[in-house]
Amino acid sequence: MSEFVATTPGVFPLPDWAKDRLGSLKGHQKEDLIDGEETGDIAGAYDEARAEVTDWQATAGLDRVVEGQLRWDDMLAHPLCVHDAVETRGIVRYYDNNNFYREPAVTGELTFDGDLADDLDALAALDGVAEARQAVVPGPYSLSDLATDEFYGDRSAFLDAIAEFLTGEIRAFPDCETLFVLEPSLVTNPPEDGLDERASDAIDRVAGATDADVVVQTYWGALEEKVHAHLLDADIDAVGYDFVTNHEENLYNINEYGTKAGIALGLADGQNTNVEDGETIAERIEWVTENVPAAEFETVYATTNTELFYLPVNKAKAKLASLAEGVALAGADADEEVNA
């Protein structure tokens, strides 16, 4: 029988008080010098906010708890935007929506940084999350797609360098149950022939850096058939599908080409403030599993289709509760079928 897991792709909205406090603190920083006390205050605000979003997830009853990625002002581009070998430049639209990030231009070698591990270490220090920790990283293809290369010379070399960089970062992580690798660019700007195979190889290398279960979450549509087939060559535990944006083509890919032993289902809309109730989430889980002939997945992850930072805090918290309720209902239904 499948294990049902309620989780998210992370990248949460900041609590409202944290937006106000951090905006004030950052506004008082000098452009060329950050005062040590102000830095301490900023770090303290992020620590407090991290503990709060961890409590949101625990209160909702999620099976996996993310750090929240609250410092990711540049969304998935964050790991490059804070790197010493990267210059942040003009403001760029983040995919096809009203969010923006600073363009990261890679001007030197991408050596180990440790920024992501530091945040996960802070999560690990909190009580009650040891058995449920989930790490989140941008996928190598998406991160290379969001950035500009002024050092490595061509797309393939740049993609390889990004994968090597992420591999080093992940090896420094504390133990986690699950790693979500977020790859929206595989859908929105699919790699051309040749690069699609290299993208799969890059994901495979990233997945090999951890003992955690690795889920590659794709969203904002469905993968092209060839890209999907190559992704399945990577040694990962589950592919994530956006059943909010395009359920029919995602279902076609699964039935035509198969998928991994686990599956992540993007069932709640991470950008829409309408809140799906638990029964709706359970019904959507049932719809997918019933429409995949003869499939019994080892693990079914129920999640929002996208990151959560688009949502107001109250809506994000409500969707967490719906995911947890939906998974509980789906698990209860599965138990009844087994016992019938």
Side-chain angles (χ1 to χ4, degrees):
M1 188 178 73
S2 300
E3 176 188 9
F4 294 94
V5 173
T7 188
T8 71
V11 198
F12 279 29
L14 272 167
D16 294 332
W17 64 263
K19 289 180 186 177
D20 295 339
R21 187 188 303 177
L22 286 164
S24 176
L25 289 169
K26 292 179 179 181
H28 286 86
Q29 290 181 353
K30 306 297 183 183
E31 289 186 1
D32 57 347
L33 179 66
I34 298 175
D35 179 82
E37 183 177 356
E38 290 181 345
T39 302
D41 288 342
I42 290 172
Y46 278 121
D47 287 343
E48 190 175 340
R50 182 183 300 109
E52 181 170 326
V53 300
T54 300
D55 184 64
W56 294 353
Q57 297 167 81
T59 299
L62 293 189
D63 301 297
R64 299 288 185 271
V65 175
V66 300
E67 182 268 335
Q69 295 70 50
L70 302 175
R71 295 177 51 247
W72 292 21
D73 294 338
D74 300 288
M75 288 75 82
L76 297 188
H78 169 84
L80 292 183
C81 290
V82 298
H83 196 283
D84 289 341
V86 175
E87 295 179 5
T88 52
R89 296 180 180 167
I91 300 300
V92 183
R93 186 179 294 275
Y94 183 68
Y95 296 101
D96 188 20
N97 57 51
N98 291 322
N99 292 275
F100 299 86
Y101 70 103
R102 297 172 298 165
E103 178 192 10
V106 178
T107 57
E109 183 180 2
L110 290 173
T111 55
F112 174 75
D113 181 77
D115 178 83
L116 301 180
D118 287 345
D119 284 343
L120 280 169
D121 286 337
L123 174 67
L126 298 174
D127 293 334
V129 298
E131 300 302 320
R133 282 197 300 269
Q134 176 177 298
V136 175
V137 298
Y141 179 74
S142 294
L143 191 54
S144 68
D145 182 49
L146 293 170
T148 297
D149 171 36
E150 296 185 357
F151 181 77
Y152 290 97
D154 64 57
R155 286 200 74 185
S156 294
F158 188 44
L159 177 59
D160 289 345
I162 295 285
E164 186 63 25
F165 164 67
L166 288 172
T167 296
E169 301 303 298
I170 291 167
R171 284 177 177 152
F173 287 2
D175 290 340
C176 295
E177 288 293 313
T178 315
L179 170 68
F180 260 52
V181 179
L182 308 188
E183 281 285 20
S185 287
L186 286 177
V187 173
T188 63
N189 185 26
E192 62 270 16
D193 286 351
L195 195 62
D196 50 6
E197 187 172 359
R198 294 194 75 117
S200 176
D201 290 342
I203 291 167
D204 185 81
R205 289 167 60 191
V206 167
T210 180
D211 292 329
D213 291 335
V214 176
V215 179
V216 175
Q217 182 77 13
T218 65
Y219 45 103
W220 288 322
L223 293 166
E224 291 184 354
E225 293 176 41
K226 190 176 179 184
V227 174
H228 180 258
H230 278 303
L231 179 57
L232 297 182
D233 291 334
D235 187 12
I236 58 179
D237 297 282
V239 174
Y241 300 91
D242 181 352
F243 281 95
V244 172
T245 305
N246 192 334
H247 59 278
E248 291 293 347
E249 288 189 30
N250 277 309
L251 186 65
Y252 169 82
N253 277 339
I254 295 167
N255 284 333
E256 184 70 16
Y257 300 101
T259 191
K260 293 294 187 176
I263 190 169
L265 309 178
L267 302 173
D269 194 330
Q271 297 183 97
N272 193 308
T273 56
N274 290 329
V275 177
E276 306 84 350
D277 59 27
E279 289 186 359
T280 298
I281 299 299
E283 288 168 1
R284 291 176 179 178
I285 293 172
E286 182 181 18
W287 183 87
V288 175
T289 55
E290 286 187 348
N291 281 280
V292 180
E296 181 170 319
F297 298 105
E298 290 181 5
T299 308
V300 176
Y301 299 90
T303 180
T304 54
N305 63 327
T306 70
E307 312 107 320
L308 285 148
F309 69 87
Y310 308 96
L311 296 172
V313 165
N314 64 328
K315 300 296 185 178
K317 292 169 69 174
K319 287 185 185 256
L320 301 182
S322 294
L323 287 168
E325 181 185 357
V327 161
L329 290 171
D333 290 342
D335 287 340
E336 287 182 10
E337 289 183 11
V338 170
N339 297 323

mmCIF file of all heavy atoms in Angstrom, residues 290-338:
data_model
loop_
_atom_site.group_PDB
_atom_site.id
_atom_site.type_symbol
_atom_site.label_atom_id
_atom_site.label_comp_id
_atom_site.label_asym_id
_atom_site.label_seq_id
_atom_site.Cartn_x
_atom_site.Cartn_y
_atom_site.Cartn_z
ATOM 1 N N GLU A 290 -6.393 6.522 -9.741
ATOM 2 C CA GLU A 290 -7.327 5.673 -10.473
ATOM 3 C C GLU A 290 -7.116 5.736 -11.983
ATOM 4 O O GLU A 290 -7.497 4.824 -12.706
ATOM 5 C CB GLU A 290 -8.771 6.065 -10.151
ATOM 6 C CG GLU A 290 -9.229 5.625 -8.773
ATOM 7 C CD GLU A 290 -10.705 5.882 -8.542
ATOM 8 O OE1 GLU A 290 -11.310 6.608 -9.371
ATOM 9 O OE2 GLU A 290 -11.247 5.363 -7.553
ATOM 10 N N ASN A 291 -6.503 6.815 -12.462
ATOM 11 C CA ASN A 291 -6.299 6.981 -13.897
ATOM 12 C C ASN A 291 -4.909 6.577 -14.365
ATOM 13 O O ASN A 291 -4.551 6.822 -15.524
ATOM 14 C CB ASN A 291 -6.586 8.427 -14.303
ATOM 15 C CG ASN A 291 -8.071 8.705 -14.424
ATOM 16 O OD1 ASN A 291 -8.707 8.378 -15.418
ATOM 17 N ND2 ASN A 291 -8.637 9.286 -13.372
ATOM 18 N N VAL A 292 -4.143 5.984 -13.470
ATOM 19 C CA VAL A 292 -2.857 5.396 -13.852
ATOM 20 C C VAL A 292 -3.022 3.887 -13.730
ATOM 21 O O VAL A 292 -2.991 3.343 -12.622
ATOM 22 C CB VAL A 292 -1.709 5.898 -12.952
ATOM 23 C CG1 VAL A 292 -0.394 5.256 -13.376
ATOM 24 C CG2 VAL A 292 -1.604 7.420 -13.032
ATOM 25 N N PRO A 293 -3.226 3.201 -14.844
ATOM 26 C CA PRO A 293 -3.560 1.771 -14.785
ATOM 27 C C PRO A 293 -2.510 0.946 -14.046
ATOM 28 O O PRO A 293 -1.310 1.076 -14.282
ATOM 29 C CB PRO A 293 -3.617 1.366 -16.265
ATOM 30 C CG PRO A 293 -3.916 2.635 -16.989
ATOM 31 C CD PRO A 293 -3.230 3.719 -16.211
ATOM 32 N N ALA A 294 -2.982 0.122 -13.149
ATOM 33 C CA ALA A 294 -2.159 -0.873 -12.453
ATOM 34 C C ALA A 294 -1.004 -0.257 -11.674
ATOM 35 O O ALA A 294 -0.025 -0.933 -11.378
ATOM 36 C CB ALA A 294 -1.619 -1.906 -13.448
ATOM 37 N N ALA A 295 -1.103 1.024 -11.337
ATOM 38 C CA ALA A 295 0.005 1.670 -10.610
ATOM 39 C C ALA A 295 -0.266 1.671 -9.118
ATOM 40 O O ALA A 295 -1.356 2.018 -8.667
ATOM 41 C CB ALA A 295 0.190 3.105 -11.092
ATOM 42 N N GLU A 296 0.722 1.262 -8.361
ATOM 43 C CA GLU A 296 0.697 1.485 -6.922
ATOM 44 C C GLU A 296 2.036 2.083 -6.545
ATOM 45 O O GLU A 296 3.062 1.419 -6.594
ATOM 46 C CB GLU A 296 0.448 0.204 -6.131
ATOM 47 C CG GLU A 296 0.398 0.484 -4.634
ATOM 48 C CD GLU A 296 -0.078 -0.695 -3.821
ATOM 49 O OE1 GLU A 296 -1.013 -1.380 -4.253
ATOM 50 O OE2 GLU A 296 0.515 -0.927 -2.755
ATOM 51 N N PHE A 297 2.025 3.356 -6.216
ATOM 52 C CA PHE A 297 3.253 4.069 -5.931
ATOM 53 C C PHE A 297 3.722 3.771 -4.516
ATOM 54 O O PHE A 297 2.919 3.642 -3.597
ATOM 55 C CB PHE A 297 3.037 5.568 -6.104
ATOM 56 C CG PHE A 297 2.651 5.964 -7.499
ATOM 57 C CD1 PHE A 297 1.340 6.313 -7.796
ATOM 58 C CD2 PHE A 297 3.583 5.965 -8.519
ATOM 59 C CE1 PHE A 297 0.973 6.672 -9.079
ATOM 60 C CE2 PHE A 297 3.234 6.323 -9.811
ATOM 61 C CZ PHE A 297 1.935 6.673 -10.090
ATOM 62 N N GLU A 298 5.032 3.680 -4.352
ATOM 63 C CA GLU A 298 5.577 3.490 -3.003
ATOM 64 C C GLU A 298 5.225 4.676 -2.120
ATOM 65 O O GLU A 298 4.815 4.510 -0.969
ATOM 66 C CB GLU A 298 7.088 3.297 -3.077
ATOM 67 C CG GLU A 298 7.524 1.981 -3.699
ATOM 68 C CD GLU A 298 9.035 1.832 -3.726
ATOM 69 O OE1 GLU A 298 9.739 2.714 -3.173
ATOM 70 O OE2 GLU A 298 9.515 0.846 -4.310
ATOM 71 N N THR A 299 5.389 5.881 -2.671
ATOM 72 C CA THR A 299 5.093 7.100 -1.917
ATOM 73 C C THR A 299 4.349 8.065 -2.814
ATOM 74 O O THR A 299 4.733 8.279 -3.966
ATOM 75 C CB THR A 299 6.384 7.773 -1.412
ATOM 76 O OG1 THR A 299 7.180 6.816 -0.715
ATOM 77 C CG2 THR A 299 6.060 8.934 -0.480
ATOM 78 N N VAL A 300 3.282 8.651 -2.281
ATOM 79 C CA VAL A 300 2.530 9.688 -2.974
ATOM 80 C C VAL A 300 2.658 10.971 -2.154
ATOM 81 O O VAL A 300 2.157 11.050 -1.028
ATOM 82 C CB VAL A 300 1.053 9.310 -3.139
ATOM 83 C CG1 VAL A 300 0.280 10.457 -3.788
ATOM 84 C CG2 VAL A 300 0.902 8.034 -3.970
ATOM 85 N N TYR A 301 3.367 11.953 -2.702
ATOM 86 C CA TYR A 301 3.521 13.243 -2.047
ATOM 87 C C TYR A 301 2.415 14.173 -2.548
ATOM 88 O O TYR A 301 2.270 14.386 -3.750
ATOM 89 C CB TYR A 301 4.873 13.871 -2.382
ATOM 90 C CG TYR A 301 6.067 13.067 -1.941
ATOM 91 C CD1 TYR A 301 6.633 12.109 -2.788
ATOM 92 C CD2 TYR A 301 6.654 13.262 -0.695
ATOM 93 C CE1 TYR A 301 7.736 11.365 -2.397
ATOM 94 C CE2 TYR A 301 7.766 12.530 -0.298
ATOM 95 C CZ TYR A 301 8.294 11.573 -1.151
ATOM 96 O OH TYR A 301 9.393 10.850 -0.763
ATOM 97 N N ALA A 302 1.624 14.706 -1.651
ATOM 98 C CA ALA A 302 0.605 15.693 -2.001
ATOM 99 C C ALA A 302 1.129 17.070 -1.616
ATOM 100 O O ALA A 302 1.549 17.295 -0.474
ATOM 101 C CB ALA A 302 -0.701 15.401 -1.270
ATOM 102 N N THR A 303 1.111 17.984 -2.572
ATOM 103 C CA THR A 303 1.774 19.255 -2.354
ATOM 104 C C THR A 303 1.071 20.359 -3.135
ATOM 105 O O THR A 303 0.159 20.098 -3.928
ATOM 106 C CB THR A 303 3.254 19.142 -2.787
ATOM 107 O OG1 THR A 303 3.927 20.386 -2.584
ATOM 108 C CG2 THR A 303 3.393 18.744 -4.243
ATOM 109 N N THR A 304 1.473 21.603 -2.887
ATOM 110 C CA THR A 304 1.069 22.673 -3.798
ATOM 111 C C THR A 304 1.849 22.497 -5.097
ATOM 112 O O THR A 304 2.923 21.901 -5.115
ATOM 113 C CB THR A 304 1.370 24.053 -3.195
ATOM 114 O OG1 THR A 304 2.739 24.125 -2.807
ATOM 115 C CG2 THR A 304 0.483 24.326 -1.995
ATOM 116 N N ASN A 305 1.317 23.045 -6.178
ATOM 117 C CA ASN A 305 2.016 22.864 -7.453
ATOM 118 C C ASN A 305 3.241 23.748 -7.566
ATOM 119 O O ASN A 305 4.209 23.390 -8.250
ATOM 120 C CB ASN A 305 1.060 23.117 -8.631
ATOM 121 C CG ASN A 305 0.528 24.543 -8.673
ATOM 122 O OD1 ASN A 305 0.330 25.187 -7.637
ATOM 123 N ND2 ASN A 305 0.267 25.023 -9.884
ATOM 124 N N THR A 306 3.241 24.903 -6.913
ATOM 125 C CA THR A 306 4.361 25.842 -6.992
ATOM 126 C C THR A 306 4.837 26.188 -5.583
ATOM 127 O O THR A 306 4.251 25.780 -4.584
ATOM 128 C CB THR A 306 3.939 27.155 -7.681
ATOM 129 O OG1 THR A 306 3.041 27.871 -6.812
ATOM 130 C CG2 THR A 306 3.260 26.890 -9.016
ATOM 131 N N GLU A 307 5.864 27.027 -5.542
ATOM 132 C CA GLU A 307 6.279 27.594 -4.266
ATOM 133 C C GLU A 307 5.112 28.372 -3.645
ATOM 134 O O GLU A 307 4.151 28.712 -4.333
ATOM 135 C CB GLU A 307 7.451 28.568 -4.452
ATOM 136 C CG GLU A 307 8.590 28.063 -5.293
ATOM 137 C CD GLU A 307 8.650 28.726 -6.659
ATOM 138 O OE1 GLU A 307 7.579 28.944 -7.266
ATOM 139 O OE2 GLU A 307 9.759 29.017 -7.130
ATOM 140 N N LEU A 308 5.230 28.687 -2.369
ATOM 141 C CA LEU A 308 4.118 29.307 -1.636
ATOM 142 C C LEU A 308 4.249 30.810 -1.443
ATOM 143 O O LEU A 308 3.325 31.449 -0.933
ATOM 144 C CB LEU A 308 3.977 28.633 -0.269
ATOM 145 C CG LEU A 308 3.352 27.238 -0.315
ATOM 146 C CD1 LEU A 308 3.905 26.343 0.768
ATOM 147 C CD2 LEU A 308 1.853 27.334 -0.213
ATOM 148 N N PHE A 309 5.381 31.415 -1.846
ATOM 149 C CA PHE A 309 5.609 32.813 -1.486
ATOM 150 C C PHE A 309 4.641 33.767 -2.178
ATOM 151 O O PHE A 309 4.506 34.926 -1.789
ATOM 152 C CB PHE A 309 7.048 33.230 -1.773
ATOM 153 C CG PHE A 309 7.401 33.312 -3.237
ATOM 154 C CD1 PHE A 309 7.191 34.460 -3.971
ATOM 155 C CD2 PHE A 309 7.980 32.222 -3.873
ATOM 156 C CE1 PHE A 309 7.519 34.524 -5.306
ATOM 157 C CE2 PHE A 309 8.324 32.281 -5.210
ATOM 158 C CZ PHE A 309 8.089 33.434 -5.937
ATOM 159 N N TYR A 310 3.929 33.274 -3.202
ATOM 160 C CA TYR A 310 2.950 34.118 -3.894
ATOM 161 C C TYR A 310 1.738 34.442 -3.020
ATOM 162 O O TYR A 310 0.999 35.379 -3.314
ATOM 163 C CB TYR A 310 2.433 33.403 -5.148
ATOM 164 C CG TYR A 310 3.485 32.884 -6.081
ATOM 165 C CD1 TYR A 310 3.900 31.550 -6.013
ATOM 166 C CD2 TYR A 310 4.075 33.704 -7.031
ATOM 167 C CE1 TYR A 310 4.860 31.060 -6.874
ATOM 168 C CE2 TYR A 310 5.035 33.229 -7.895
ATOM 169 C CZ TYR A 310 5.427 31.907 -7.816
ATOM 170 O OH TYR A 310 6.398 31.428 -8.666
ATOM 171 N N LEU A 311 1.486 33.640 -1.996
ATOM 172 C CA LEU A 311 0.226 33.708 -1.253
ATOM 173 C C LEU A 311 0.317 34.598 -0.019
ATOM 174 O O LEU A 311 1.370 34.675 0.624
ATOM 175 C CB LEU A 311 -0.180 32.305 -0.801
ATOM 176 C CG LEU A 311 -0.494 31.302 -1.912
ATOM 177 C CD1 LEU A 311 -0.673 29.914 -1.314
ATOM 178 C CD2 LEU A 311 -1.736 31.716 -2.693
ATOM 179 N N PRO A 312 -0.803 35.232 0.380
ATOM 180 C CA PRO A 312 -0.859 35.854 1.705
ATOM 181 C C PRO A 312 -0.680 34.774 2.774
ATOM 182 O O PRO A 312 -1.013 33.604 2.557
ATOM 183 C CB PRO A 312 -2.271 36.451 1.765
ATOM 184 C CG PRO A 312 -2.759 36.481 0.360
ATOM 185 C CD PRO A 312 -2.066 35.382 -0.366
ATOM 186 N N VAL A 313 -0.202 35.181 3.919
ATOM 187 C CA VAL A 313 0.111 34.220 4.980
ATOM 188 C C VAL A 313 -1.110 33.382 5.359
ATOM 189 O O VAL A 313 -1.021 32.157 5.502
ATOM 190 C CB VAL A 313 0.676 34.955 6.212
ATOM 191 C CG1 VAL A 313 0.660 34.048 7.435
ATOM 192 C CG2 VAL A 313 2.095 35.433 5.934
ATOM 193 N N ASN A 314 -2.270 34.010 5.524
ATOM 194 C CA ASN A 314 -3.444 33.256 5.980
ATOM 195 C C ASN A 314 -3.851 32.202 4.950
ATOM 196 O O ASN A 314 -4.284 31.093 5.311
ATOM 197 C CB ASN A 314 -4.603 34.194 6.301
ATOM 198 C CG ASN A 314 -5.123 34.965 5.089
ATOM 199 O OD1 ASN A 314 -4.373 35.289 4.180
ATOM 200 N ND2 ASN A 314 -6.407 35.282 5.093
ATOM 201 N N LYS A 315 -3.703 32.510 3.653
ATOM 202 C CA LYS A 315 -4.055 31.549 2.615
ATOM 203 C C LYS A 315 -3.030 30.420 2.548
ATOM 204 O O LYS A 315 -3.388 29.248 2.344
ATOM 205 C CB LYS A 315 -4.157 32.241 1.252
ATOM 206 C CG LYS A 315 -5.217 33.339 1.203
ATOM 207 C CD LYS A 315 -6.624 32.779 1.413
ATOM 208 C CE LYS A 315 -7.677 33.859 1.236
ATOM 209 N NZ LYS A 315 -9.054 33.344 1.389
ATOM 210 N N ALA A 316 -1.768 30.760 2.719
ATOM 211 C CA ALA A 316 -0.732 29.721 2.727
ATOM 212 C C ALA A 316 -0.967 28.743 3.868
ATOM 213 O O ALA A 316 -0.898 27.513 3.674
ATOM 214 C CB ALA A 316 0.654 30.362 2.846
ATOM 215 N N LYS A 317 -1.274 29.260 5.054
ATOM 216 C CA LYS A 317 -1.523 28.388 6.207
ATOM 217 C C LYS A 317 -2.763 27.516 5.972
ATOM 218 O O LYS A 317 -2.766 26.326 6.328
ATOM 219 C CB LYS A 317 -1.692 29.237 7.469
ATOM 220 C CG LYS A 317 -0.414 29.929 7.908
ATOM 221 C CD LYS A 317 -0.658 30.974 8.985
ATOM 222 C CE LYS A 317 -1.051 30.370 10.292
ATOM 223 N NZ LYS A 317 -1.137 31.403 11.365
ATOM 224 N N ALA A 318 -3.780 28.077 5.349
ATOM 225 C CA ALA A 318 -4.994 27.302 5.086
ATOM 226 C C ALA A 318 -4.714 26.170 4.097
ATOM 227 O O ALA A 318 -5.233 25.061 4.246
ATOM 228 C CB ALA A 318 -6.086 28.220 4.546
ATOM 229 N N LYS A 319 -3.876 26.417 3.114
ATOM 230 C CA LYS A 319 -3.552 25.368 2.144
ATOM 231 C C LYS A 319 -2.712 24.266 2.782
ATOM 232 O O LYS A 319 -2.851 23.090 2.416
ATOM 233 C CB LYS A 319 -2.857 25.978 0.927
ATOM 234 C CG LYS A 319 -3.825 26.767 0.053
ATOM 235 C CD LYS A 319 -3.208 27.284 -1.222
ATOM 236 C CE LYS A 319 -4.219 28.155 -1.974
ATOM 237 N NZ LYS A 319 -4.822 27.491 -3.139
ATOM 238 N N LEU A 320 -1.864 24.613 3.732
ATOM 239 C CA LEU A 320 -1.112 23.582 4.462
ATOM 240 C C LEU A 320 -2.072 22.640 5.172
ATOM 241 O O LEU A 320 -1.922 21.417 5.127
ATOM 242 C CB LEU A 320 -0.169 24.228 5.483
ATOM 243 C CG LEU A 320 0.899 25.197 4.977
ATOM 244 C CD1 LEU A 320 1.757 25.683 6.145
ATOM 245 C CD2 LEU A 320 1.762 24.563 3.906
ATOM 246 N N ALA A 321 -3.069 23.228 5.831
ATOM 247 C CA ALA A 321 -4.039 22.404 6.562
ATOM 248 C C ALA A 321 -4.839 21.524 5.600
ATOM 249 O O ALA A 321 -5.115 20.359 5.896
ATOM 250 C CB ALA A 321 -4.974 23.304 7.366
ATOM 251 N N SER A 322 -5.194 22.048 4.432
ATOM 252 C CA SER A 322 -5.954 21.262 3.464
ATOM 253 C C SER A 322 -5.139 20.091 2.942
ATOM 254 O O SER A 322 -5.672 18.984 2.761
ATOM 255 C CB SER A 322 -6.389 22.154 2.292
ATOM 256 O OG SER A 322 -7.316 23.125 2.720
ATOM 257 N N LEU A 323 -3.854 20.309 2.681
ATOM 258 C CA LEU A 323 -3.000 19.221 2.217
ATOM 259 C C LEU A 323 -2.934 18.108 3.259
ATOM 260 O O LEU A 323 -3.056 16.925 2.929
ATOM 261 C CB LEU A 323 -1.601 19.739 1.902
ATOM 262 C CG LEU A 323 -1.451 20.576 0.635
ATOM 263 C CD1 LEU A 323 -0.090 21.267 0.616
ATOM 264 C CD2 LEU A 323 -1.628 19.715 -0.611
ATOM 265 N N ALA A 324 -2.736 18.497 4.515
ATOM 266 C CA ALA A 324 -2.637 17.489 5.569
ATOM 267 C C ALA A 324 -3.955 16.731 5.724
ATOM 268 O O ALA A 324 -3.969 15.497 5.863
ATOM 269 C CB ALA A 324 -2.249 18.159 6.890
ATOM 270 N N GLU A 325 -5.074 17.450 5.666
ATOM 271 C CA GLU A 325 -6.379 16.796 5.791
ATOM 272 C C GLU A 325 -6.634 15.872 4.601
ATOM 273 O O GLU A 325 -7.132 14.755 4.758
ATOM 274 C CB GLU A 325 -7.485 17.846 5.885
ATOM 275 C CG GLU A 325 -8.877 17.236 6.052
ATOM 276 C CD GLU A 325 -9.990 18.279 6.020
ATOM 277 O OE1 GLU A 325 -9.692 19.490 5.934
ATOM 278 O OE2 GLU A 325 -11.165 17.859 6.059
ATOM 279 N N GLY A 326 -6.297 16.346 3.405
ATOM 280 C CA GLY A 326 -6.511 15.533 2.219
ATOM 281 C C GLY A 326 -5.723 14.242 2.234
ATOM 282 O O GLY A 326 -6.228 13.173 1.855
ATOM 283 N N VAL A 327 -4.481 14.315 2.694
ATOM 284 C CA VAL A 327 -3.647 13.108 2.791
ATOM 285 C C VAL A 327 -4.212 12.157 3.841
ATOM 286 O O VAL A 327 -4.235 10.929 3.635
ATOM 287 C CB VAL A 327 -2.192 13.502 3.094
ATOM 288 C CG1 VAL A 327 -1.405 12.325 3.657
ATOM 289 C CG2 VAL A 327 -1.520 14.031 1.834
ATOM 290 N N ALA A 328 -4.682 12.691 4.951
ATOM 291 C CA ALA A 328 -5.281 11.832 5.985
ATOM 292 C C ALA A 328 -6.512 11.117 5.434
ATOM 293 O O ALA A 328 -6.707 9.910 5.681
ATOM 294 C CB ALA A 328 -5.646 12.664 7.210
ATOM 295 N N LEU A 329 -7.345 11.824 4.673
ATOM 296 C CA LEU A 329 -8.535 11.199 4.089
ATOM 297 C C LEU A 329 -8.151 10.153 3.050
ATOM 298 O O LEU A 329 -8.746 9.061 2.999
ATOM 299 C CB LEU A 329 -9.414 12.276 3.443
ATOM 300 C CG LEU A 329 -10.119 13.248 4.392
ATOM 301 C CD1 LEU A 329 -10.761 14.380 3.599
ATOM 302 C CD2 LEU A 329 -11.164 12.511 5.229
ATOM 303 N N ALA A 330 -7.155 10.444 2.219
ATOM 304 C CA ALA A 330 -6.724 9.503 1.197
ATOM 305 C C ALA A 330 -6.149 8.252 1.838
ATOM 306 O O ALA A 330 -6.405 7.116 1.384
ATOM 307 C CB ALA A 330 -5.686 10.152 0.283
ATOM 308 N N GLY A 331 -5.386 8.417 2.910
ATOM 309 C CA GLY A 331 -4.831 7.261 3.621
ATOM 310 C C GLY A 331 -5.900 6.429 4.258
ATOM 311 O O GLY A 331 -5.842 5.187 4.229
ATOM 312 N N ALA A 332 -6.921 7.071 4.822
ATOM 313 C CA ALA A 332 -8.030 6.330 5.444
ATOM 314 C C ALA A 332 -8.799 5.546 4.392
ATOM 315 O O ALA A 332 -9.186 4.379 4.619
ATOM 316 C CB ALA A 332 -8.947 7.288 6.190
ATOM 317 N N ASP A 333 -9.031 6.151 3.232
ATOM 318 C CA ASP A 333 -9.731 5.453 2.149
ATOM 319 C C ASP A 333 -8.936 4.233 1.681
ATOM 320 O O ASP A 333 -9.508 3.166 1.407
ATOM 321 C CB ASP A 333 -9.970 6.396 0.979
ATOM 322 C CG ASP A 333 -11.014 7.464 1.293
ATOM 323 O OD1 ASP A 333 -11.774 7.276 2.258
ATOM 324 O OD2 ASP A 333 -11.062 8.472 0.558
ATOM 325 N N ALA A 334 -7.614 4.393 1.582
ATOM 326 C CA ALA A 334 -6.764 3.285 1.158
ATOM 327 C C ALA A 334 -6.810 2.148 2.155
ATOM 328 O O ALA A 334 -6.862 0.967 1.792
ATOM 329 C CB ALA A 334 -5.332 3.764 0.943
ATOM 330 N N ASP A 335 -6.817 2.483 3.450
ATOM 331 C CA ASP A 335 -6.901 1.453 4.489
ATOM 332 C C ASP A 335 -8.219 0.688 4.398
ATOM 333 O O ASP A 335 -8.257 -0.535 4.558
ATOM 334 C CB ASP A 335 -6.782 2.099 5.876
ATOM 335 C CG ASP A 335 -5.369 2.554 6.188
ATOM 336 O OD1 ASP A 335 -4.429 2.045 5.524
ATOM 337 O OD2 ASP A 335 -5.211 3.422 7.057
ATOM 338 N N GLU A 336 -9.311 1.405 4.127
ATOM 339 C CA GLU A 336 -10.623 0.743 3.996
ATOM 340 C C GLU A 336 -10.629 -0.226 2.839
ATOM 341 O O GLU A 336 -11.180 -1.326 2.931
ATOM 342 C CB GLU A 336 -11.708 1.799 3.801
ATOM 343 C CG GLU A 336 -12.042 2.592 5.059
ATOM 344 C CD GLU A 336 -13.160 3.583 4.824
ATOM 345 O OE1 GLU A 336 -13.791 3.522 3.738
ATOM 346 O OE2 GLU A 336 -13.412 4.413 5.709
ATOM 347 N N GLU A 337 -9.999 0.162 1.720
ATOM 348 C CA GLU A 337 -9.961 -0.732 0.556
ATOM 349 C C GLU A 337 -9.167 -2.001 0.862
ATOM 350 O O GLU A 337 -9.546 -3.096 0.451
ATOM 351 C CB GLU A 337 -9.351 0.006 -0.630
ATOM 352 C CG GLU A 337 -10.246 1.078 -1.211
ATOM 353 C CD GLU A 337 -9.626 1.728 -2.433
ATOM 354 O OE1 GLU A 337 -8.612 1.214 -2.945
ATOM 355 O OE2 GLU A 337 -10.150 2.775 -2.890
ATOM 356 N N VAL A 338 -8.048 -1.828 1.567
ATOM 357 C CA VAL A 338 -7.231 -2.999 1.915
ATOM 358 C C VAL A 338 -7.985 -3.929 2.839
ATOM 359 O O VAL A 338 -7.909 -5.164 2.709
ATOM 360 C CB VAL A 338 -5.909 -2.529 2.576
ATOM 361 C CG1 VAL A 338 -5.162 -3.731 3.161
ATOM 362 C CG2 VAL A 338 -5.028 -1.815 1.552
#
